[in-house]
Amino acid sequence: MPRVLLENQISGLPVCDDRGRLVGMLSEGDLLRRAELGLVSRRDIAGVRAKPEAFIKGHSWRVGDVMTQPVVTVDEDMPVGRVAELMAAKGIKRIPVMRAEEMVGIISRSDILRAVTASLPDVIANGDEAVRRAVLARLCSDLGLEKGAIDVTIENGTVSLSGQVESEALREAARVAAETISGAGGVRNRLRIVANGGASDG
């Protein structure tokens, strides 16, 4: 177990069952109280009846015995700020990201720190027209979209994007670009993906 973490330079791994369902997390912290390291007390070693759970975690080499469960997870749409709050409240360094019952990634403290350091003050837009122009400018400057490729409208303070893009990644990038404009009350992404000569709703 420690070898996998060391060789891949990571501090934690998700554990899944035979059906691919997330059942636990294995981290460096789970491996710190190993008998091999001399970090399990004599009472844990000799007095099995006193603390059987500690004995198991300190001696077993089965991932299922050592891992942490249940697992704290977040939905992929949860704002990064709320994820950071959850990490602080639970005292954890990484959280699996879920889409319904499927794990689609893991967000760590370092991911959040990178997001924070990369975020510079964005355009300050006041008023619907100012927000619309700022979003259009961001779509052109940051994503290289042609002027008029995406229609931007403001509906009750919410930015609405409509038109066609070439990929799901570009569709999501357009949403993120719109969300970075200060003053935008939210983004409704109505962009359609055009691929292989056809269009599909995202």
Side-chain angles (χ1 to χ4, degrees):
M1 292 179 286
R3 186 185 301 275
V4 176
L5 298 176
L6 289 172
E7 290 179 349
N8 291 277
Q9 297 183 342
I10 53 179
S11 58
L13 287 170
V15 182
C16 299
D17 63 14
D18 293 338
R19 297 182 180 180
R21 295 176 302 187
L22 182 67
V23 295
M25 286 290 294
L26 179 68
S27 69
E28 293 173 331
D30 294 315
L31 301 174
L32 288 180
R33 287 183 57 82
R34 297 298 305 175
E36 293 82 2
L37 299 177
L39 298 177
V40 180
S41 68
R42 292 182 179 276
R43 180 179 178 183
D44 290 338
I45 296 174
V48 178
R49 296 178 182 176
K51 293 184 179 181
E53 296 84 1
F55 181 87
I56 291 171
K57 280 189 172 292
H59 292 76
S60 177
W61 285 102
R62 291 187 178 183
V63 172
D65 291 334
V66 182
M67 69 183 184
T68 296
Q69 56 180 329
V71 186
V72 176
T73 64
V74 295
D75 184 78
E76 63 178 339
D77 294 326
M78 179 177 285
V80 174
R82 289 184 59 191
V83 177
E85 291 176 359
L86 184 59
M87 285 183 176
K90 298 292 185 179
I92 52 181
K93 298 180 179 179
R94 68 199 61 78
I95 302 179
V97 181
M98 310 298 290
R99 179 184 297 154
E101 298 298 320
E102 177 187 5
M103 187 181 72
V104 294
I106 295 177
I107 185 168
S108 66
R109 289 181 180 178
S110 59
D111 293 324
I112 293 177
L113 288 175
R114 279 193 292 269
V116 171
T117 55
S119 63
L120 299 175
D122 286 315
V123 178
I124 302 300
N126 296 309
D128 288 354
E129 182 58 23
V131 171
R132 190 184 75 83
R133 290 179 179 275
V135 171
L136 285 170
R138 177 58 56 86
L139 293 173
C140 293
S141 64
D142 287 14
L143 301 183
L145 294 172
E146 296 291 335
K147 187 176 182 180
I150 293 179
D151 185 33
V152 179
T153 57
I154 310 296
E155 301 175 2
N156 298 320
T158 298
V159 176
S160 182
L161 305 176
S162 59
Q164 299 178 347
V165 291
E166 298 176 355
S167 67
E168 176 67 21
L170 190 54
R171 181 178 186 274
E172 291 303 299
R175 171 186 59 79
V176 172
E179 289 175 343
T180 62
I181 303 303
S182 178
V187 177
R188 181 176 292 109
N189 198 344
R190 294 171 173 167
L191 292 172
R192 294 180 298 164
I193 302 170
V194 180
N196 299 323
S200 63
D201 292 330

